Amino acid sequence: MPYSKVITLEQFIVDQQSLYKDAQGSLSKIFRSLELAAKVVNRDVRKAGLVDILGNHGATNVQGEEQKKLDVIANDVFIAALSRCGEVCMIISEENDEEYYVDGCENEKYIVAMDPLDGSSNIDVNASIGTIFSIYTRKNLNEKPKLEDCLQKGKNQVASGYFIYGSSTMLVYTTGTGVNGFTLDDSIQEFCLSHPNITTPDDGKIYSVNEGNLADFPDGVQEYVQYCKEKDKTTSRPYSARYIGSLIADFHRNLLKGGIFMYPSTEKAPSGKLRLMYEANPMAFIIEQAGGVASTGDGRVMDVKPEKLHQRVPLYIGSKNMVTRVVAMLNNEEVAELANS
């Protein structure tokens, strides 16, 4: 691309400022802080094989999962950057047991929820990982920030997005006016607009699910997986099975190419495994803005009222017709004939 046509993230945000609910530039400052933190984490990810930041940290997070060293580094980096920006009153993180109150920012209105390093089980094998974030405004600015301010439905999100650290480093985000993607140009250390106005196909040819747990899935999901495997020329089946074990990597591929990601409930995890606040809601906002669907199997993800910070939900997310079909099968409903399905 000729450099005269390059649009950096900062330029894009300034140009789009009039579309934001925020008119004073506070949201822009938050994005600049997220961008800086992502560059630092990206640098450490690139060095992962060269310095002592691989492997386990020796502790577990609130989910009972073993923390990796990069998990802890990423969490600290993002909290520090967001705290310094002066626009965020509270931060909630998958890695922290409780909400984090930013000193001196009690009167600010923004709350950030984040998974600082999604897919961290892939760190040691050099597979794609990423950072997921979500931004809310607290409801009552006349009171001090409190836990209840964080427990909002996903439909109240002001913005959400993710950074993916893969063969290239990208930022994909929405503020409720469509989805745009930016790729980091290492030579100038700027995120440049590379994927404007992302829309996801209504149908796809990829299904992403951990089939090792197939026998524990609800009957409707087992039926849908079998449907994906059947031969049928009119619907281009069988579909391709693609599962990395990193939500952010599977979601990103399916967003661009069309497909469905599923993490159903199981006997061991009756509420599912993915976190509503840190994973499901941010991705649901993005996929809906791109023309797709995100469901818990019982309803829209972004209509779920959180009861606790680390609440989990089942997740079916991706191309509209694919999600509609699996949800219908889950609920023993007749599957309407969908275009191109």
Side-chain angles (χ1 to χ4, degrees), residues 24-40:
Q24 287 74 44
S26 300
L27 204 56
S28 300
K29 293 180 183 177
I30 296 173
F31 268 93
R32 283 196 289 270
S33 297
L34 289 167
E35 178 186 9
L36 175 60
K39 289 176 181 176
V40 173

Side-chain angles (χ1 to χ4, degrees), residues 101-115:
Y101 296 90
V102 181
D103 290 339
C105 294
E106 295 82 5
N107 296 323
E108 302 304 327
K109 64 180 180 180
Y110 286 108
I111 299 166
V112 175
M114 65 175 182
D115 180 351

Side-chain angles (χ1 to χ4, degrees), residues 235-301:
T235 55
S236 300
R237 288 181 287 147
Y239 298 148
S240 297
R242 297 287 185 270
Y243 185 73
I244 299 173
S246 166
L247 168 64
I248 205 164
D250 283 313
F251 176 90
H252 183 70
R253 179 197 56 243
N254 293 354
L255 172 69
L256 299 180
K257 293 188 174 184
I260 183 171
F261 176 92
M262 300 179 286
Y263 209 112
S265 59
T266 63
E267 185 176 340
K268 291 182 179 179
S271 298
K273 186 177 180 182
L274 299 178
R275 292 77 176 175
L276 175 64
M277 300 295 294
Y278 314 113
E279 295 166 317
N281 271 339
M283 295 309 204
F285 193 17
I286 292 170
I287 202 68
E288 286 195 7
Q289 284 294 310
V293 174
S295 174
T296 64
D298 293 322
R300 183 187 182 211
V301 167

Side-chain angles (χ1 to χ4, degrees), residues 206-208 224 254 258-262 316-319 322-323 326:
I206 298 171
Y207 70 100
S208 305
Y224 181 74
N254 293 354
I260 183 171
F261 176 92
M262 300 179 286
Y316 305 88
I317 189 168
S319 296
M322 300 181 81
V323 176
V326 72

